């Protein structure tokens, strides 16, 4: 642990329980074993293809179903193991890279894992191709095989999505090119973020601060002048990297546009809706409800401006603390507070939370070379998670920690499920995290010692959770939609990207934000715009918040009887449509 002034000891996560090192025998053996498992599955796919070429025409319907059943069982059995081991290897190395971007060995190991992804994508494509060719047999297979029945949702949804495939050769080529295309653009973005240091004067001293720390100051420092200086320093840092960042965004979006077109998608949003497992009508209902609520959010922002002595906010004021929120909370206090609220919901959740703290699952210390933001990574096959954040002692960061522990709790509830059974859509992936965040927020508000303390808690929820999940994500949705549309016609300049971002901020925030004080580099503040295989990772947050608030309302009405059903829901999010 590292001692940080005013915050106590901030933990770094422990990774040796996953693998004892990048050059260790268990890590090397795992890579060798995964390669052998991939070889074995290639043989299974080749044998089935050869057998079909020889006997398919002469086989009876019963024999055809029997052969297809054996093939599906074999694939499910092997690929579940392969996907688990591949994810475990990747997450281990990624955790090292995300906390030390200068680790050249970890960067090399990450690139050495790329061929596994390519091979898995090829194998997945071949399997999906067979599902597409024999989709009419699928119901019979599910009725005959216990393993297929346990994976019925995965098989049926995969068969449905297989119509949006290129040829096997084209899909194999796309997978092979990803390491020097989609993945490379994302890696460029994360390297810029983690290694960008920002000159800043604080308490009379000139410092070079990590970007994540500058962002925390720009959002949360109680002094408005300090926030503004940090925000302008952050913007200047992004501006110094605007061309490579614009190139990364253009490259990522351009590749996705080309692939979606070749796969027969109507547009880039089409694929995102299918991945989120909702239809356009549901999305439109969500966006319309948000649009109707915008005046209320704008009134809130104007009220906050008055509390800060302003007519309207600047972008660096949106998250500024108000009420009695000027003190910092040591990490030990945050831990005790979160565990107490978890205990009030469920002893099971509290025990799980203690395990996360006691077994060093959390990396909370901001430092040079560490990625900004926060996430939770579940380690498949081990019932372990790792939580990354940059703890600054604020109320907002306490709620962020509860949020990420909620993700870990979701992973825990799915322990024992296979990789295919755990593939939750983005619309449901935030259910546990936002529920836990709401739980902690509401308990804190109920126990507030004064109106000023309650005001601070309410504002933290509104500006941190509700504003980010609903208003910011709506702005990012419209931004991304326009970027896709315009990128399909021509490459976008850095100025053009900033212009789109500013226009949608003005459209969503209305007259609650000073127009000259919007954030031209909001589009690089979060990594989602650069994710290699996911687009529109914005509206699912709004869906997730509203869904989790509905779940919380159920909990308030039903009390302890709600808990086992909630855990059953979390366990099954990969096996049903959200509407179910």
């Amino acid at each position: 642990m590292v001692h940080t002034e005013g915050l106590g000891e901030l933990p770094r996560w422990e990774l040796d329980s996953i693998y004892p090192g990048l050059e260790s025998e268990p890590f090397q053996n795992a890579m060798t074993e995964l390669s052998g498992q991939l070889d074995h599955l290639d043989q299974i796919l080749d044998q089935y293809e050869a057998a079909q070429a020889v006997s398919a025409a002469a086989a009876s319907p019963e024999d055809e179903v029997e052969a297809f059943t054996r093939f599906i069982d074999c694939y499910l059995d092997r690929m579940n193991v392969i996907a688990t081991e591949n994810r475990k290897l990747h997450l281990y190395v990624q955790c090292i890279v995300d906390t030390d971007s200068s680790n050249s060995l970890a960067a090399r190991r990450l690139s050495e894992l790329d061929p596994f992804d390519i091979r898995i994508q090829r194998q997945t494509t071949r399997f999906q191709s067979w599902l597409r060719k024999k989709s009419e047999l699928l119901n019979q297979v599910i009725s005959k095989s216990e393993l297929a029945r346990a994976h019925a949702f995965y098989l049926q949804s995969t068969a449905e999505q297989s119509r949006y495939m290129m040829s096997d050769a084209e899909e194999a080529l796309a997978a092979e090119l990803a390491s020097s295309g989609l993945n490379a653009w994302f890696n460029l973005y994360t390297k810029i973020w983690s290694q960008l240091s920002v000159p800043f004067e604080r308490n009379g001293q000139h410092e070079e601060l990590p970007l994540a720390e500058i962002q925390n100051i720009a959002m949360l420092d109680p002094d408005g002048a300090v926030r503004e200086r940090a925000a302008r320093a952050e913007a200047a840092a992004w501006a110094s990297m605007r061309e490579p960042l614009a190139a990364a965004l253009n490259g990522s979006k351009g590749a996705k546009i080309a692939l979606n077109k070749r796969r027969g998608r109507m547009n880039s949003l089409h694929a995102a809706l299918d991945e989120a497992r909702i239809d356009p009508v549901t999305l439109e209902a969500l966006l319309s409800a948000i649009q109707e609520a915008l005046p209320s959010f704008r009134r809130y922002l104007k009220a906050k401006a008055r509390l800060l002595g302003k007519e309207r906010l600047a972008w660096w004021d949106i998250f500024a603390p108000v009420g009695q929120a000027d003190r910092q909370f040591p990490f030990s206090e945050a831990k005790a507070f979160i565990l107490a609220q978890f205990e009030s919901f469920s002893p099971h959740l509290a025990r799980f939370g203690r395990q996360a703290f006691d077994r060093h699952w959390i990396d909370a210390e901001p430092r040079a070379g560490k990625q900004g933001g926060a996430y939770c990574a579940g380690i498949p096959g081990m019932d372990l998670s790792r939580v990354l954040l940059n703890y600054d002692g604020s109320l907002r960061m306490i709620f962020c920690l509860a949020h990420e522990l909620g993700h870990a709790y979701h992973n825990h509830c799915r322990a024992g499920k296979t990789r295919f059974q755990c593939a939750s859509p983005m619309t449901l992936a935030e259910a546990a995290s936002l529920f836990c965040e709401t739980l902690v927020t509401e308990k804190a508000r109920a126990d507030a010692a004064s109106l000023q303390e309650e005001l601070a808690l309410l504002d933290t929820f509104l500006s941190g959770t509700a504003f980010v999940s609903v208003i910011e994500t709506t702005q990012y949705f419209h931004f991304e939609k326009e970027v896709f549309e315009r990128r399909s016609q021509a490459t976008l300049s850095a100025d053009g990207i900033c212009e789109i971002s500013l226009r949608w901020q003005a459209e969503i925030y209305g007259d609650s934000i000073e127009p000259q004080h919007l954030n031209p580099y909001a589009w690089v503040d979060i990594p989602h715009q650069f994710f290699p295989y996911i687009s529109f990772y914005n509206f699912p947050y709004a869906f997730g918040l509203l869904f989790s608030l509905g779940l919380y309302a159920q909990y308030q009405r039903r009390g302890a009887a709600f808990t086992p059903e909630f855990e059953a829901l979390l366990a099954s999010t990969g096996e049903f449509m959200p509407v179910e």
Side-chain angles (χ1 to χ4, degrees), residues 36 120 162-163 181 229 317 331 533 576:
I120 289 170
S162 67
R163 56 181 169 161
R229 285 196 300 107
D317 296 322
F331 190 80
Y533 303 112
F576 295 95

Side-chain angles (χ1 to χ4, degrees), residues 388-400:
L388 178 144
L389 71 157
N390 291 273
Y391 188 77
D392 61 6
S394 65
L395 272 171
R396 188 182 310 278
M397 199 55 66
I398 293 176
F399 298 148
C400 176

Side-chain angles (χ1 to χ4, degrees), residues 11 51 121-122 129 132 163 195 201 317 342 365 402 416 424 434 469 472 477 488 505 522 528 534 559:
Q121 184 58 47
R122 285 176 177 166
S129 181
R132 179 175 55 187
R163 56 181 169 161
Q195 294 189 354
E201 183 182 342
D317 296 322
F342 281 6
E365 180 209 9
S424 303
L434 286 164
S469 297
E472 272 205 339
F477 170 80
S488 66
Q505 288 175 64
H528 302 155
I534 299 173

Side-chain angles (χ1 to χ4, degrees), residues 239-309:
S240 72
M241 291 290 169
R242 67 201 308 266
E243 295 305 328
L245 288 166
L249 191 68
N250 275 289
S252 178
K253 301 303 187 194
K256 290 177 180 178
I257 288 166
L259 289 169
N260 281 321
K261 185 176 181 181
R262 293 289 296 181
R263 287 172 175 147
R265 295 286 187 181
M266 292 183 288
N267 49 46
S268 296
L269 182 56
H270 180 197
L273 286 171
D274 280 357
E275 288 164 3
R277 298 180 194 164
I278 63 172
D279 57 27
V281 175
T282 302
L283 177 61
E284 184 54 41
L286 178 68
L287 295 174
S288 295
I290 292 169
Q291 188 68 34
E292 291 172 11
L294 286 179
S296 296
F297 272 96
R298 291 169 184 158
R299 285 197 301 274
Y300 152 65
L301 292 175
K302 289 176 185 177
K304 182 164 186 172
R306 290 193 297 272
L307 280 174
L308 295 174

Side-chain angles (χ1 to χ4, degrees), residues 74-87:
C74 233
Y75 177 85
L76 290 173
D77 181 60
R78 289 291 86 214
M79 185 53 85
N80 268 317
V81 172
I82 287 169
T84 295
E85 293 307 310
N86 183 57
R87 178 73 171 156

Side-chain angles (χ1 to χ4, degrees), residues 16 84 108 217 232 257 347 403 437 461 465 487-488 518:
D16 286 354
T84 295
R108 187 166 76 248
I217 296 170
R232 294 191 183 281
I257 288 166
H403 179 107
E437 186 175 344
F461 173 76
T465 304
R487 179 63 183 86
S488 66
L518 295 168

Side-chain angles (χ1 to χ4, degrees), residues 484-521:
F484 267 121
E485 290 167 354
R486 289 175 57 174
R487 179 63 183 86
S488 66
Q489 304 300 318
T491 300
L492 292 161
S493 66
D495 283 340
I497 297 169
C498 289
E499 182 271 325
I500 298 170
S501 180
L502 288 169
R503 182 157 36 78
W504 279 111
Q505 288 175 64
E507 176 72 23
I508 299 300
Y509 301 157
D511 61 355
S512 63
I513 305 289
E514 289 283 1
Q516 71 272 28
H517 289 154
L518 295 168
N519 183 5
Y521 294 101

